[in-house]
PDB file of all heavy atoms in Angstrom:
ATOM      1  N   ARG A  67      15.109   8.309  13.084  1.00 90.00           N
ATOM      2  CA  ARG A  67      15.897   9.491  13.453  1.00 90.00           C
ATOM      3  C   ARG A  67      16.304  10.296  12.226  1.00 90.00           C
ATOM      4  O   ARG A  67      16.385  11.531  12.283  1.00 90.00           O
ATOM      5  CB  ARG A  67      17.123   9.063  14.268  1.00 90.00           C
ATOM      6  CG  ARG A  67      16.720   8.395  15.583  1.00 90.00           C
ATOM      7  CD  ARG A  67      17.852   8.245  16.554  1.00 90.00           C
ATOM      8  NE  ARG A  67      17.444   7.447  17.706  1.00 90.00           N
ATOM      9  CZ  ARG A  67      16.745   7.905  18.730  1.00 90.00           C
ATOM     10  NH1 ARG A  67      16.361   9.165  18.735  1.00 90.00           N
ATOM     11  NH2 ARG A  67      16.417   7.128  19.740  1.00 90.00           N
ATOM     12  N   GLU A  68      16.563   9.637  11.117  1.00 91.00           N
ATOM     13  CA  GLU A  68      16.880  10.366   9.878  1.00 91.00           C
ATOM     14  C   GLU A  68      15.685  11.199   9.423  1.00 91.00           C
ATOM     15  O   GLU A  68      15.845  12.338   8.964  1.00 91.00           O
ATOM     16  CB  GLU A  68      17.290   9.381   8.772  1.00 91.00           C
ATOM     17  CG  GLU A  68      18.668   8.796   8.960  1.00 91.00           C
ATOM     18  CD  GLU A  68      18.982   7.670   7.985  1.00 91.00           C
ATOM     19  OE1 GLU A  68      18.032   6.999   7.513  1.00 91.00           O
ATOM     20  OE2 GLU A  68      20.169   7.452   7.700  1.00 91.00           O
ATOM     21  N   LEU A  69      14.486  10.629   9.558  1.00 92.00           N
ATOM     22  CA  LEU A  69      13.284  11.380   9.188  1.00 92.00           C
ATOM     23  C   LEU A  69      13.082  12.581  10.106  1.00 92.00           C
ATOM     24  O   LEU A  69      12.692  13.663   9.635  1.00 92.00           O
ATOM     25  CB  LEU A  69      12.058  10.465   9.235  1.00 92.00           C
ATOM     26  CG  LEU A  69      11.868   9.563   8.024  1.00 92.00           C
ATOM     27  CD1 LEU A  69      10.760   8.557   8.282  1.00 92.00           C
ATOM     28  CD2 LEU A  69      11.542  10.382   6.789  1.00 92.00           C
ATOM     29  N   VAL A  70      13.308  12.394  11.394  1.00 93.00           N
ATOM     30  CA  VAL A  70      13.191  13.507  12.347  1.00 93.00           C
ATOM     31  C   VAL A  70      14.125  14.641  11.929  1.00 93.00           C
ATOM     32  O   VAL A  70      13.730  15.809  11.876  1.00 93.00           O
ATOM     33  CB  VAL A  70      13.495  13.041  13.789  1.00 93.00           C
ATOM     34  CG1 VAL A  70      13.674  14.237  14.719  1.00 93.00           C
ATOM     35  CG2 VAL A  70      12.378  12.139  14.299  1.00 93.00           C
ATOM     36  N   GLU A  71      15.374  14.310  11.602  1.00 93.00           N
ATOM     37  CA  GLU A  71      16.351  15.313  11.183  1.00 93.00           C
ATOM     38  C   GLU A  71      15.938  15.971   9.864  1.00 93.00           C
ATOM     39  O   GLU A  71      16.118  17.183   9.683  1.00 93.00           O
ATOM     40  CB  GLU A  71      17.727  14.668  11.031  1.00 93.00           C
ATOM     41  CG  GLU A  71      18.350  14.241  12.358  1.00 93.00           C
ATOM     42  CD  GLU A  71      19.651  13.478  12.185  1.00 93.00           C
ATOM     43  OE1 GLU A  71      20.159  13.402  11.046  1.00 93.00           O
ATOM     44  OE2 GLU A  71      20.168  12.965  13.185  1.00 93.00           O
ATOM     45  N   MET A  72      15.389  15.180   8.941  1.00 91.00           N
ATOM     46  CA  MET A  72      14.958  15.723   7.655  1.00 91.00           C
ATOM     47  C   MET A  72      13.851  16.766   7.840  1.00 91.00           C
ATOM     48  O   MET A  72      13.879  17.842   7.250  1.00 91.00           O
ATOM     49  CB  MET A  72      14.455  14.586   6.755  1.00 91.00           C
ATOM     50  CG  MET A  72      14.086  15.037   5.352  1.00 91.00           C
ATOM     51  SD  MET A  72      13.393  13.697   4.375  1.00 91.00           S
ATOM     52  CE  MET A  72      11.713  13.708   4.988  1.00 91.00           C
ATOM     53  N   PHE A  73      12.876  16.456   8.697  1.00 93.00           N
ATOM     54  CA  PHE A  73      11.785  17.390   8.927  1.00 93.00           C
ATOM     55  C   PHE A  73      12.243  18.618   9.718  1.00 93.00           C
ATOM     56  O   PHE A  73      11.694  19.710   9.549  1.00 93.00           O
ATOM     57  CB  PHE A  73      10.616  16.706   9.631  1.00 93.00           C
ATOM     58  CG  PHE A  73       9.819  15.822   8.714  1.00 93.00           C
ATOM     59  CD1 PHE A  73       9.783  14.454   8.888  1.00 93.00           C
ATOM     60  CD2 PHE A  73       9.101  16.360   7.653  1.00 93.00           C
ATOM     61  CE1 PHE A  73       9.056  13.639   8.034  1.00 93.00           C
ATOM     62  CE2 PHE A  73       8.377  15.570   6.794  1.00 93.00           C
ATOM     63  CZ  PHE A  73       8.346  14.198   6.978  1.00 93.00           C
ATOM     64  N   GLU A  74      13.262  18.457  10.553  1.00 93.00           N
ATOM     65  CA  GLU A  74      13.801  19.610  11.295  1.00 93.00           C
ATOM     66  C   GLU A  74      14.378  20.650  10.356  1.00 93.00           C
ATOM     67  O   GLU A  74      14.305  21.853  10.621  1.00 93.00           O
ATOM     68  CB  GLU A  74      14.857  19.148  12.299  1.00 93.00           C
ATOM     69  CG  GLU A  74      14.265  18.556  13.567  1.00 93.00           C
ATOM     70  CD  GLU A  74      15.325  18.065  14.541  1.00 93.00           C
ATOM     71  OE1 GLU A  74      16.530  18.039  14.175  1.00 93.00           O
ATOM     72  OE2 GLU A  74      14.948  17.695  15.663  1.00 93.00           O
ATOM     73  N   THR A  75      14.934  20.211   9.218  1.00 92.00           N
ATOM     74  CA  THR A  75      15.460  21.171   8.241  1.00 92.00           C
ATOM     75  C   THR A  75      14.343  21.982   7.601  1.00 92.00           C
ATOM     76  O   THR A  75      14.587  23.041   7.041  1.00 92.00           O
ATOM     77  CB  THR A  75      16.255  20.448   7.128  1.00 92.00           C
ATOM     78  OG1 THR A  75      15.383  19.589   6.391  1.00 92.00           O
ATOM     79  CG2 THR A  75      17.415  19.654   7.714  1.00 92.00           C
ATOM     80  N   GLU A  76      13.103  21.474   7.690  1.00 90.00           N
ATOM     81  CA  GLU A  76      11.939  22.200   7.166  1.00 90.00           C
ATOM     82  C   GLU A  76      11.214  22.969   8.263  1.00 90.00           C
ATOM     83  O   GLU A  76      10.140  23.519   8.038  1.00 90.00           O
ATOM     84  CB  GLU A  76      10.962  21.205   6.499  1.00 90.00           C
ATOM     85  CG  GLU A  76      11.553  20.456   5.320  1.00 90.00           C
ATOM     86  CD  GLU A  76      10.572  19.487   4.692  1.00 90.00           C
ATOM     87  OE1 GLU A  76       9.346  19.653   4.890  1.00 90.00           O
ATOM     88  OE2 GLU A  76      11.007  18.555   4.009  1.00 90.00           O
ATOM     89  N   GLY A  77      11.791  22.955   9.464  1.00 92.00           N
ATOM     90  CA  GLY A  77      11.180  23.685  10.570  1.00 92.00           C
ATOM     91  C   GLY A  77      10.051  22.942  11.250  1.00 92.00           C
ATOM     92  O   GLY A  77       9.243  23.531  11.961  1.00 92.00           O
ATOM     93  N   ILE A  78       9.988  21.616  11.052  1.00 92.00           N
ATOM     94  CA  ILE A  78       8.930  20.797  11.643  1.00 92.00           C
ATOM     95  C   ILE A  78       9.544  19.889  12.700  1.00 92.00           C
ATOM     96  O   ILE A  78      10.455  19.116  12.410  1.00 92.00           O
ATOM     97  CB  ILE A  78       8.220  19.945  10.558  1.00 92.00           C
ATOM     98  CG1 ILE A  78       7.628  20.850   9.482  1.00 92.00           C
ATOM     99  CG2 ILE A  78       7.129  19.073  11.189  1.00 92.00           C
ATOM    100  CD1 ILE A  78       7.191  20.108   8.243  1.00 92.00           C
TER     101      ILE A  78
END
Side-chain angles (χ1 to χ4, degrees):
R67 297 193 187 280
E68 286 171 334
L69 280 171
V70 168
E71 291 174 8
M72 184 184 81
F73 284 114
E74 281 178 352
T75 64
E76 299 180 21
I78 301 167

